Amino acid sequence: MTDARPKSKRADRRIFALTLLLLLPLEVICAQSAFHTLGEIDHMVVWSGVVAGNLFALALAAFRPRAGAIAAVLVGLAIIPQHLGLIRRHSLVRHEATRIVAFAYEAKARSGAFPEDLAEFEYERPSVARYVQHYGADEEAGGFMVTYCVGTPTTSHWYTPKGGWQYYPD
């Protein structure tokens, strides 16, 4: 009976280590992506959550490895699902914005002018249209500007013929 406890604690430590090994890289990817999806300040909040949450799990695991593993999973659940969704949304919206840019250049090649609006543009994924904040003619920008957001409306990505793709984090 006395041998069962040390083996169980050793197994719990292995489970904790494996849990961290699996979750931490995903949490780092999510925290890094938050800069482009949520902005500069929120990105730092996410990073703080990753660091503080995992330090807490690590400290807890020193005395209770199973509780540390549970804490590590809870930290992962607080960060990973939301940010994986934002990463996917960013990819989809960026794809549509790239299609809008191509549409604008094709329209100019046909008619000699960039379109004034997106009335003739057909979204591949209409569900992401709400994240395209603005499209319009803009002579100062080289002809037009398309702007989109992903996680917050104050974090903008945009394209202009003059400046190319740009980003403002807050």
Short mmCIF file of all heavy atoms in Angstrom, two decimals, residues 96-122 134-138 141-147 159-161 165:
data_model
loop_
_atom_site.label_atom_id
_atom_site.label_comp_id
_atom_site.label_asym_id
_atom_site.label_seq_id
_atom_site.Cartn_x
_atom_site.Cartn_y
_atom_site.Cartn_z
N GLU A 96 -11.03 37.37 -47.65
CA GLU A 96 -12.05 38.19 -48.33
C GLU A 96 -11.50 39.57 -48.68
O GLU A 96 -11.78 40.10 -49.76
CB GLU A 96 -13.31 38.33 -47.49
CG GLU A 96 -14.13 37.06 -47.39
CD GLU A 96 -14.80 36.63 -48.70
OE1 GLU A 96 -14.78 37.38 -49.69
OE2 GLU A 96 -15.35 35.53 -48.71
N ALA A 97 -10.73 40.16 -47.79
CA ALA A 97 -10.14 41.48 -48.08
C ALA A 97 -9.19 41.39 -49.27
O ALA A 97 -9.17 42.29 -50.12
CB ALA A 97 -9.42 42.02 -46.85
N THR A 98 -8.44 40.31 -49.35
CA THR A 98 -7.55 40.10 -50.49
C THR A 98 -8.36 39.95 -51.77
O THR A 98 -7.97 40.47 -52.83
CB THR A 98 -6.67 38.85 -50.25
OG1 THR A 98 -5.92 39.04 -49.05
CG2 THR A 98 -5.71 38.61 -51.40
N ARG A 99 -9.50 39.28 -51.70
CA ARG A 99 -10.38 39.15 -52.86
C ARG A 99 -10.96 40.51 -53.26
O ARG A 99 -11.12 40.79 -54.45
CB ARG A 99 -11.51 38.16 -52.56
CG ARG A 99 -11.03 36.71 -52.46
CD ARG A 99 -12.17 35.72 -52.25
NE ARG A 99 -13.00 35.69 -53.45
CZ ARG A 99 -14.27 36.10 -53.51
NH1 ARG A 99 -14.88 36.55 -52.41
NH2 ARG A 99 -14.96 36.05 -54.63
N ILE A 100 -11.26 41.35 -52.27
CA ILE A 100 -11.79 42.69 -52.57
C ILE A 100 -10.72 43.51 -53.31
O ILE A 100 -11.02 44.20 -54.28
CB ILE A 100 -12.24 43.41 -51.28
CG1 ILE A 100 -13.50 42.74 -50.73
CG2 ILE A 100 -12.48 44.89 -51.53
CD1 ILE A 100 -13.89 43.18 -49.33
N VAL A 101 -9.48 43.41 -52.86
CA VAL A 101 -8.38 44.12 -53.53
C VAL A 101 -8.26 43.64 -54.98
O VAL A 101 -8.16 44.45 -55.90
CB VAL A 101 -7.06 43.93 -52.76
CG1 VAL A 101 -5.87 44.43 -53.57
CG2 VAL A 101 -7.13 44.64 -51.41
N ALA A 102 -8.30 42.32 -55.17
CA ALA A 102 -8.22 41.78 -56.54
C ALA A 102 -9.41 42.25 -57.38
O ALA A 102 -9.24 42.62 -58.56
CB ALA A 102 -8.18 40.25 -56.49
N PHE A 103 -10.60 42.27 -56.79
CA PHE A 103 -11.80 42.76 -57.46
C PHE A 103 -11.62 44.21 -57.91
O PHE A 103 -11.96 44.58 -59.03
CB PHE A 103 -13.00 42.64 -56.50
CG PHE A 103 -14.21 43.42 -56.90
CD1 PHE A 103 -15.07 42.98 -57.89
CD2 PHE A 103 -14.50 44.63 -56.27
CE1 PHE A 103 -16.19 43.71 -58.25
CE2 PHE A 103 -15.62 45.37 -56.62
CZ PHE A 103 -16.47 44.91 -57.61
N ALA A 104 -11.06 45.04 -57.03
CA ALA A 104 -10.86 46.45 -57.35
C ALA A 104 -9.88 46.61 -58.52
O ALA A 104 -10.14 47.39 -59.45
CB ALA A 104 -10.35 47.20 -56.12
N TYR A 105 -8.80 45.87 -58.50
CA TYR A 105 -7.83 45.95 -59.60
C TYR A 105 -8.39 45.41 -60.91
O TYR A 105 -8.13 45.95 -61.98
CB TYR A 105 -6.53 45.24 -59.23
CG TYR A 105 -5.62 46.06 -58.35
CD1 TYR A 105 -5.42 45.70 -57.02
CD2 TYR A 105 -4.98 47.19 -58.83
CE1 TYR A 105 -4.60 46.46 -56.20
CE2 TYR A 105 -4.16 47.96 -58.02
CZ TYR A 105 -3.96 47.58 -56.71
OH TYR A 105 -3.14 48.34 -55.89
N GLU A 106 -9.18 44.34 -60.82
CA GLU A 106 -9.82 43.80 -62.04
C GLU A 106 -10.82 44.80 -62.61
O GLU A 106 -10.90 44.97 -63.83
CB GLU A 106 -10.51 42.47 -61.72
CG GLU A 106 -9.54 41.34 -61.47
CD GLU A 106 -10.20 40.10 -60.86
OE1 GLU A 106 -11.45 40.06 -60.76
OE2 GLU A 106 -9.46 39.19 -60.47
N ALA A 107 -11.58 45.46 -61.75
CA ALA A 107 -12.54 46.47 -62.22
C ALA A 107 -11.80 47.63 -62.88
O ALA A 107 -12.24 48.14 -63.92
CB ALA A 107 -13.38 46.98 -61.05
N LYS A 108 -10.68 48.02 -62.32
CA LYS A 108 -9.90 49.10 -62.92
C LYS A 108 -9.35 48.68 -64.29
O LYS A 108 -9.34 49.48 -65.23
CB LYS A 108 -8.76 49.54 -62.03
CG LYS A 108 -8.00 50.71 -62.64
CD LYS A 108 -6.94 51.26 -61.76
CE LYS A 108 -6.33 52.44 -62.52
NZ LYS A 108 -5.34 53.12 -61.80
N ALA A 109 -8.92 47.43 -64.40
CA ALA A 109 -8.39 46.94 -65.68
C ALA A 109 -9.49 46.94 -66.74
O ALA A 109 -9.22 47.22 -67.92
CB ALA A 109 -7.81 45.54 -65.50
N ARG A 110 -10.73 46.64 -66.34
CA ARG A 110 -11.86 46.60 -67.29
C ARG A 110 -12.36 48.00 -67.65
O ARG A 110 -12.62 48.29 -68.80
CB ARG A 110 -13.02 45.80 -66.70
CG ARG A 110 -12.88 44.30 -66.80
CD ARG A 110 -14.19 43.58 -66.48
NE ARG A 110 -14.87 44.08 -65.28
CZ ARG A 110 -14.64 43.66 -64.03
NH1 ARG A 110 -13.72 42.73 -63.83
NH2 ARG A 110 -15.31 44.14 -63.02
N SER A 111 -12.50 48.84 -66.63
CA SER A 111 -13.19 50.13 -66.86
C SER A 111 -12.28 51.35 -66.80
O SER A 111 -12.70 52.44 -67.16
CB SER A 111 -14.31 50.30 -65.84
OG SER A 111 -13.76 50.50 -64.55
N GLY A 112 -11.08 51.17 -66.29
CA GLY A 112 -10.18 52.31 -66.17
C GLY A 112 -10.28 53.02 -64.83
O GLY A 112 -9.54 53.96 -64.58
N ALA A 113 -11.19 52.60 -63.96
CA ALA A 113 -11.34 53.24 -62.65
C ALA A 113 -11.66 52.19 -61.59
O ALA A 113 -12.29 51.17 -61.87
CB ALA A 113 -12.47 54.27 -62.69
N PHE A 114 -11.20 52.47 -60.37
CA PHE A 114 -11.55 51.59 -59.26
C PHE A 114 -13.04 51.75 -58.94
O PHE A 114 -13.58 52.85 -59.09
CB PHE A 114 -10.73 51.94 -58.01
CG PHE A 114 -9.28 51.57 -58.12
CD1 PHE A 114 -8.30 52.55 -58.15
CD2 PHE A 114 -8.89 50.24 -58.18
CE1 PHE A 114 -6.97 52.22 -58.24
CE2 PHE A 114 -7.55 49.90 -58.27
CZ PHE A 114 -6.58 50.89 -58.30
N PRO A 115 -13.70 50.68 -58.52
CA PRO A 115 -15.13 50.82 -58.17
C PRO A 115 -15.34 51.74 -56.96
O PRO A 115 -14.49 51.81 -56.08
CB PRO A 115 -15.56 49.38 -57.84
CG PRO A 115 -14.32 48.59 -57.67
CD PRO A 115 -13.20 49.33 -58.33
N GLU A 116 -16.46 52.41 -56.96
CA GLU A 116 -16.79 53.33 -55.86
C GLU A 116 -17.23 52.58 -54.60
O GLU A 116 -17.05 53.06 -53.49
CB GLU A 116 -17.93 54.28 -56.29
CG GLU A 116 -17.53 55.24 -57.38
CD GLU A 116 -16.53 56.27 -56.88
OE1 GLU A 116 -16.69 56.76 -55.74
OE2 GLU A 116 -15.58 56.57 -57.63
N ASP A 117 -17.83 51.39 -54.80
CA ASP A 117 -18.33 50.62 -53.67
C ASP A 117 -18.23 49.13 -54.00
O ASP A 117 -17.70 48.75 -55.04
CB ASP A 117 -19.77 51.02 -53.32
CG ASP A 117 -20.70 50.89 -54.50
OD1 ASP A 117 -20.54 49.94 -55.31
OD2 ASP A 117 -21.60 51.74 -54.63
N LEU A 118 -18.77 48.32 -53.12
CA LEU A 118 -18.71 46.87 -53.30
C LEU A 118 -20.04 46.28 -53.78
O LEU A 118 -20.28 45.09 -53.59
CB LEU A 118 -18.29 46.20 -51.98
CG LEU A 118 -16.89 46.51 -51.49
CD1 LEU A 118 -16.64 45.85 -50.13
CD2 LEU A 118 -15.85 46.08 -52.50
N ALA A 119 -20.86 47.09 -54.40
CA ALA A 119 -22.19 46.64 -54.84
C ALA A 119 -22.10 45.42 -55.76
O ALA A 119 -22.95 44.53 -55.70
CB ALA A 119 -22.93 47.78 -55.54
N GLU A 120 -21.07 45.33 -56.58
CA GLU A 120 -20.95 44.21 -57.51
C GLU A 120 -20.02 43.10 -57.01
O GLU A 120 -19.83 42.11 -57.69
CB GLU A 120 -20.46 44.73 -58.86
CG GLU A 120 -21.49 45.62 -59.54
CD GLU A 120 -21.05 46.06 -60.92
OE1 GLU A 120 -20.23 45.35 -61.54
OE2 GLU A 120 -21.54 47.10 -61.37
N PHE A 121 -19.48 43.28 -55.83
CA PHE A 121 -18.59 42.26 -55.26
C PHE A 121 -19.41 41.17 -54.60
O PHE A 121 -20.35 41.44 -53.86
CB PHE A 121 -17.64 42.88 -54.23
CG PHE A 121 -16.72 41.89 -53.59
CD1 PHE A 121 -15.63 41.39 -54.28
CD2 PHE A 121 -16.94 41.44 -52.30
CE1 PHE A 121 -14.77 40.47 -53.70
CE2 PHE A 121 -16.10 40.53 -51.70
CZ PHE A 121 -15.01 40.05 -52.41
N GLU A 122 -19.07 39.93 -54.86
CA GLU A 122 -19.76 38.80 -54.24
C GLU A 122 -18.82 38.12 -53.24
O GLU A 122 -17.76 37.62 -53.61
CB GLU A 122 -20.20 37.79 -55.31
CG GLU A 122 -21.11 36.73 -54.76
CD GLU A 122 -21.67 35.84 -55.86
OE1 GLU A 122 -21.96 36.34 -56.96
OE2 GLU A 122 -21.81 34.63 -55.60
N HIS A 134 -14.84 49.07 -44.16
CA HIS A 134 -14.97 50.16 -45.13
C HIS A 134 -14.33 49.77 -46.45
O HIS A 134 -13.29 49.11 -46.49
CB HIS A 134 -14.26 51.41 -44.58
CG HIS A 134 -14.10 52.51 -45.57
ND1 HIS A 134 -15.14 53.31 -45.95
CD2 HIS A 134 -13.02 52.93 -46.28
CE1 HIS A 134 -14.70 54.19 -46.84
NE2 HIS A 134 -13.42 53.98 -47.06
N TYR A 135 -14.98 50.16 -47.52
CA TYR A 135 -14.37 50.17 -48.84
C TYR A 135 -14.83 51.44 -49.51
O TYR A 135 -16.02 51.77 -49.46
CB TYR A 135 -14.78 48.97 -49.71
CG TYR A 135 -14.25 49.15 -51.13
CD1 TYR A 135 -13.00 48.69 -51.46
CD2 TYR A 135 -14.98 49.86 -52.08
CE1 TYR A 135 -12.48 48.92 -52.73
CE2 TYR A 135 -14.47 50.10 -53.34
CZ TYR A 135 -13.22 49.62 -53.67
OH TYR A 135 -12.70 49.86 -54.91
N GLY A 136 -13.91 52.13 -50.13
CA GLY A 136 -14.32 53.33 -50.85
C GLY A 136 -13.19 53.91 -51.67
O GLY A 136 -12.02 53.61 -51.45
N ALA A 137 -13.59 54.73 -52.62
CA ALA A 137 -12.62 55.42 -53.43
C ALA A 137 -11.85 56.40 -52.55
O ALA A 137 -12.42 57.05 -51.68
CB ALA A 137 -13.32 56.16 -54.58
N ASP A 138 -10.56 56.48 -52.78
CA ASP A 138 -9.71 57.38 -52.00
C ASP A 138 -8.50 57.73 -52.85
O ASP A 138 -7.54 56.95 -52.92
CB ASP A 138 -9.30 56.69 -50.70
CG ASP A 138 -8.57 57.59 -49.74
OD1 ASP A 138 -7.96 58.60 -50.18
OD2 ASP A 138 -8.58 57.30 -48.53
N ALA A 141 -5.03 57.78 -51.26
CA ALA A 141 -4.49 56.45 -50.94
C ALA A 141 -4.07 55.69 -52.20
O ALA A 141 -3.65 54.54 -52.11
CB ALA A 141 -5.52 55.65 -50.17
N GLY A 142 -4.22 56.31 -53.35
CA GLY A 142 -3.84 55.65 -54.59
C GLY A 142 -5.02 55.12 -55.37
O GLY A 142 -4.84 54.39 -56.34
N GLY A 143 -6.22 55.41 -54.95
CA GLY A 143 -7.41 54.98 -55.69
C GLY A 143 -8.53 54.43 -54.83
O GLY A 143 -9.69 54.70 -55.08
N PHE A 144 -8.19 53.65 -53.83
CA PHE A 144 -9.23 53.09 -52.95
C PHE A 144 -8.60 52.65 -51.64
O PHE A 144 -7.38 52.59 -51.51
CB PHE A 144 -9.94 51.90 -53.62
CG PHE A 144 -9.11 50.65 -53.70
CD1 PHE A 144 -9.20 49.66 -52.73
CD2 PHE A 144 -8.24 50.45 -54.77
CE1 PHE A 144 -8.42 48.50 -52.80
CE2 PHE A 144 -7.47 49.30 -54.85
CZ PHE A 144 -7.56 48.33 -53.87
N MET A 145 -9.47 52.32 -50.70
CA MET A 145 -9.02 51.78 -49.41
C MET A 145 -10.04 50.74 -48.96
O MET A 145 -11.24 50.94 -49.08
CB MET A 145 -8.93 52.88 -48.35
CG MET A 145 -8.61 52.36 -46.97
SD MET A 145 -8.64 53.67 -45.73
CE MET A 145 -6.91 53.85 -45.45
N VAL A 146 -9.53 49.60 -48.49
CA VAL A 146 -10.38 48.59 -47.86
C VAL A 146 -9.84 48.38 -46.44
O VAL A 146 -8.64 48.27 -46.24
CB VAL A 146 -10.44 47.26 -48.66
CG1 VAL A 146 -9.08 46.61 -48.80
CG2 VAL A 146 -11.43 46.29 -48.04
N THR A 147 -10.75 48.39 -45.48
CA THR A 147 -10.38 48.27 -44.07
C THR A 147 -11.19 47.14 -43.43
O THR A 147 -12.38 47.00 -43.70
CB THR A 147 -10.71 49.58 -43.32
OG1 THR A 147 -10.08 50.65 -44.00
CG2 THR A 147 -10.21 49.54 -41.90
N TYR A 159 -5.80 48.07 -46.67
CA TYR A 159 -4.99 48.05 -47.89
C TYR A 159 -5.29 49.31 -48.69
O TYR A 159 -6.46 49.70 -48.83
CB TYR A 159 -5.31 46.83 -48.75
CG TYR A 159 -4.53 46.84 -50.05
CD1 TYR A 159 -3.26 46.28 -50.11
CD2 TYR A 159 -5.04 47.44 -51.19
CE1 TYR A 159 -2.51 46.32 -51.28
CE2 TYR A 159 -4.31 47.49 -52.36
CZ TYR A 159 -3.05 46.94 -52.40
OH TYR A 159 -2.32 46.99 -53.56
N THR A 160 -4.24 49.91 -49.22
CA THR A 160 -4.36 50.98 -50.20
C THR A 160 -3.32 50.70 -51.29
O THR A 160 -2.26 50.12 -51.00
CB THR A 160 -4.07 52.38 -49.59
OG1 THR A 160 -2.70 52.42 -49.15
CG2 THR A 160 -5.00 52.70 -48.45
N PRO A 161 -3.60 51.09 -52.52
CA PRO A 161 -2.61 50.90 -53.58
C PRO A 161 -1.29 51.63 -53.27
O PRO A 161 -0.22 51.15 -53.64
CB PRO A 161 -3.28 51.48 -54.82
CG PRO A 161 -4.74 51.30 -54.55
CD PRO A 161 -4.88 51.54 -53.07
N TRP A 165 -0.57 46.67 -47.60
CA TRP A 165 -1.25 46.21 -46.38
C TRP A 165 -0.62 46.89 -45.17
O TRP A 165 0.59 46.94 -45.03
CB TRP A 165 -1.13 44.69 -46.22
CG TRP A 165 -1.98 43.96 -47.19
CD1 TRP A 165 -1.56 43.29 -48.29
CD2 TRP A 165 -3.40 43.81 -47.15
NE1 TRP A 165 -2.63 42.73 -48.95
CE2 TRP A 165 -3.77 43.04 -48.26
CE3 TRP A 165 -4.39 44.27 -46.29
CZ2 TRP A 165 -5.09 42.71 -48.53
CZ3 TRP A 165 -5.71 43.95 -46.56
CH2 TRP A 165 -6.04 43.17 -47.66
#
